[in-house]
């Protein structure tokens, strides 16, 4: 007889393509390997805190491989609030442990980004059996080469840059495309290279707007009447980079700052070109996962089910080279993964003559 296991599963943080494929990966492999009962926890940790869940059937995980978003719902429940007892007087950690215990779970699978992993690690330290799966279009989770959702977002952002090329070239404009990624520039870097951007501005590499202006002028001298700038939403110039993070964030919030609008305005003023800002925004997180992400999510999910079978907890699944493996939650939770300045893709961009604004 197959062993019985009760598995809680939740998705937390921003949605992204591949969440449903990963949920399907975990549950389908679990149903195959053991007598699994799956409890779907609604809207991430909110559902775990409030005891909002449903007992799922196998059929509910069928037909979701290609579906965007998450069938479980998601919410942002910042880690910094987890240890605080707010106005509602709820001890969130105690509430999550209670739900886990009341449901008699054998383990909890959490699909999410850095914030999700911090809370997963906290719950693991509190004695719960937790397994994490790394999702985010930002690709900024330490210890894994790629997160699921990233490649789909690269495809979408690349298509945006491709389509912008048409208008840029026809009208002789400078088009500044703002790509998601507040802290990490992976998405901008990959989409910028894939889309043939002339300038790529990342949060990790403070830029001089004069250098970007010079690119436009130089291209004009070479009879290239248009320029494509890919700017990460968290990119900053050298002056802003000197500011304290909090100060910079407050300034930007007060100004309703947009990286692309700021760069486009300054370039118009400096070079006299027509520069336009384009913000694809959440479209980059929307819709069906790419084939790559469907495969990665399925592999991550199946690996998580295998870990459950073996009783290995306190870990998060990862891709290293071509191998699906796992890291200890305590080693990766909250560790950022910015683009290293000597990353090979950074080097490639420079070798291609792409300006990084520095
Ligand atoms: O973490 C994914 C992400 O899309 C970031 O690139 C972006 O900065 C952020 O989420 C936006 O979050 P929200 O949808 O909550 O505004």
């Amino acid at each position: 007889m197959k062993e019985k296991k009760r598995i809680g599963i939740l998705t937390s943080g921003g949605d992204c393509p591949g969440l449903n494929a990963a949920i399907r990966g975990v549950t389908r492999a679990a149903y195959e390997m053991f007598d699994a009962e799956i409890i779907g926890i609604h809207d991430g940790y909110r559902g775990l805190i409030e005891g909002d869940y449903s007992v799922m059937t196998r059929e509910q995980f069928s037909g979701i491989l290609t579906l965007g978003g998450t069938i479980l719902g998601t919410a942002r429940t910042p880690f910094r609030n987890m240890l605080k007892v707010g106005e509602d007087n709820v001890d969130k950690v105690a509430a999550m442990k209670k739900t886990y215990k009341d449901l008699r779970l054998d383990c909890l699978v959490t699909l999410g980004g850095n914030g999700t992993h911090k809370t997963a690690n906290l719950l693991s330290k509190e004695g719960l059996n937790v397994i994490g799966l790394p999702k985010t279009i930002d690709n900024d989770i330490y210890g894994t080469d790629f997160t699921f959702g990233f490649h789909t977002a690269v495809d979408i952002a690349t298509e945006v840059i491709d389509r912008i090329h048409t208008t840029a070239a026809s009208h002789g404009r400078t088009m500044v495309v703002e790509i998601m990624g507040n802290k990490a520039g992976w998405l901008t870097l990959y989409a910028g290279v894939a889309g043939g951007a002339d300038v790529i501005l990342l949060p990790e590499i403070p830029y001089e707007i004069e250098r970007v202006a010079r690119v436009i002028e130089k291209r004009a001298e070479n009879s290239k009447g248009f320029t494509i700038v890919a700017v990460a939403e968290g990119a900053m110039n050298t002056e802003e980079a000197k500011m304290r993070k909090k100060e910079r964030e407050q300034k930007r919030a007060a100004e309703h700052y947009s990286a692309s609008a700021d760069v486009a305005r300054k370039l118009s003023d400096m070079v006299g070109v027509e520069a336009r800002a384009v913000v694809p925004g959440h479209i980059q997180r929307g819709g069906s996962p790419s084939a790559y992400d469907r495969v990665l999510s399925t592999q991550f999910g199946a690996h998580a089910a295998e870990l459950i079978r073996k009783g290995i907890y306190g870990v998060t699944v990862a891709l290293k080279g071509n191998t699906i493996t796992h890291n200890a939650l305590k080693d990766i939770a909250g560790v950022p993964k910015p683009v290293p300045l000597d990353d090979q893709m950074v080097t490639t961009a420079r070798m291609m003559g792409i300006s990084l604004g520095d």
Side-chain angles (χ1 to χ4, degrees):
M1 215 173 78
K2 285 183 182 176
E3 198 185 347
K4 187 161 179 78
K5 301 245 189 204
R6 282 171 70 82
I7 304 165
I9 184 160
L10 63 81
T11 54
S12 180
D15 72 321
C16 87
L19 277 168
N20 287 323
I23 292 169
R24 173 182 174 273
V26 179
T27 56
R28 190 162 161 156
Y31 285 126
E32 290 294 323
M33 281 191 275
F34 36 84
D35 180 11
E37 181 154 31
I38 312 287
I39 319 292
I41 294 156
H42 302 162
D43 303 342
Y45 293 116
R46 183 202 64 77
L48 195 61
I49 293 165
E50 296 176 14
D52 182 4
Y53 57 83
S54 39
V55 179
M56 312 282 286
T57 62
R58 189 168 182 163
E59 292 67 45
Q60 288 177 280
F61 301 109
S62 179
I64 63 169
L65 173 64
T66 62
L67 206 63
T70 160
I71 59 165
L72 298 174
T74 187
R76 288 203 188 272
T77 322
F79 175 71
R80 63 178 178 275
N81 295 343
M82 284 298 182
L83 296 168
K84 284 185 204 154
V85 176
E87 280 171 13
D88 52 9
N89 218 18
V90 175
D91 179 334
K92 298 177 193 69
V93 178
M96 288 192 281
K97 285 168 73 176
K98 182 174 182 310
T99 305
Y100 182 96
K101 208 166 159 239
D102 289 350
L103 286 170
R104 291 175 287 108
L105 294 181
D106 291 298
C107 73
L108 175 70
V109 181
T110 62
L111 284 64
N114 278 320
T116 305
H117 278 83
K118 281 197 239 175
T119 300
N121 186 40
L122 171 70
L123 294 176
S124 172
K125 284 201 280 196
E126 290 285 326
L128 273 50
N129 294 332
V130 186
I131 296 176
L133 261 70
K135 77 86 222 190
T136 165
I137 64 164
D138 297 339
N139 194 38
D140 62 347
I141 298 181
Y142 186 77
T144 185
D145 292 349
F146 292 115
T147 53
F148 65 86
F150 172 65
H151 279 91
T152 308
V154 171
D155 290 349
I156 298 168
T158 301
E159 192 185 345
V160 171
I161 297 174
D162 286 350
R163 288 181 184 272
I164 285 302
H165 254 102
T166 320
T167 304
S170 305
H171 289 260
R173 289 176 183 163
T174 292
M175 301 299 270
V176 184
V177 183
E178 181 170 320
I179 296 176
M180 273 188 161
N182 235 323
K183 297 180 194 139
W186 294 104
L187 183 52
T188 309
L189 178 60
Y190 274 63
V193 169
D198 307 298
V199 180
I200 298 177
L201 304 177
L202 309 177
E204 295 86 347
I205 304 178
Y207 63 87
E208 302 267 4
I209 195 71
E210 292 77 11
R211 291 189 186 273
V212 184
R214 185 69 196 118
V215 172
I216 300 172
E217 286 165 350
K218 230 173 127 191
R219 281 175 60 78
E221 283 160 26
N222 292 322
S223 309
K224 295 271 191 186
F226 72 94
T227 299
I228 306 284
V229 179
V231 57
E233 59 180 342
M236 59 190 103
N237 61 40
T238 44
E239 286 310 306
E240 289 173 306
K242 286 181 199 150
M243 293 163 79
R244 283 193 4 258
K245 186 171 168 248
K246 199 162 178 203
E247 195 189 339
R248 186 174 57 244
E249 282 173 358
Q250 280 171 349
K251 183 174 173 283
R252 286 187 164 193
E255 291 169 0
H256 301 291
Y257 181 84
S258 147
S260 54
D262 185 48
V263 168
R265 186 181 49 76
K266 286 181 179 148
L267 292 176
S268 287
D269 291 350
M270 291 174 84
V271 195
V273 288
E274 185 179 5
R276 297 282 190 93
V278 179
V279 186
H282 290 84
I283 289 168
Q284 294 162 93
R285 289 198 336 222
S288 189
S290 64
Y292 181 95
D293 273 333
R294 291 178 201 183
V295 171
L296 186 66
S297 302
T298 302
Q299 286 185 297
F300 277 177
H303 189 82
E306 177 67 356
L307 291 169
I308 298 169
R309 188 183 69 77
K310 290 179 175 165
I312 298 172
Y313 301 117
V315 293
T316 192
V317 180
L319 172 73
K320 287 183 188 169
N322 286 324
T323 307
I324 307 291
T325 178
H326 48 274
N327 295 309
L329 269 171
K330 65 175 173 44
D331 294 339
I332 64 100
V335 182
K337 193 186 79 171
V339 176
L341 299 184
D342 61 351
D343 185 80
Q344 211 165 34
M345 192 64 85
V346 172
T347 309
T348 302
R350 292 194 194 279
M351 287 168 71
M352 298 304 293
I354 299 170
S355 166
L356 302 182
D358 57 342

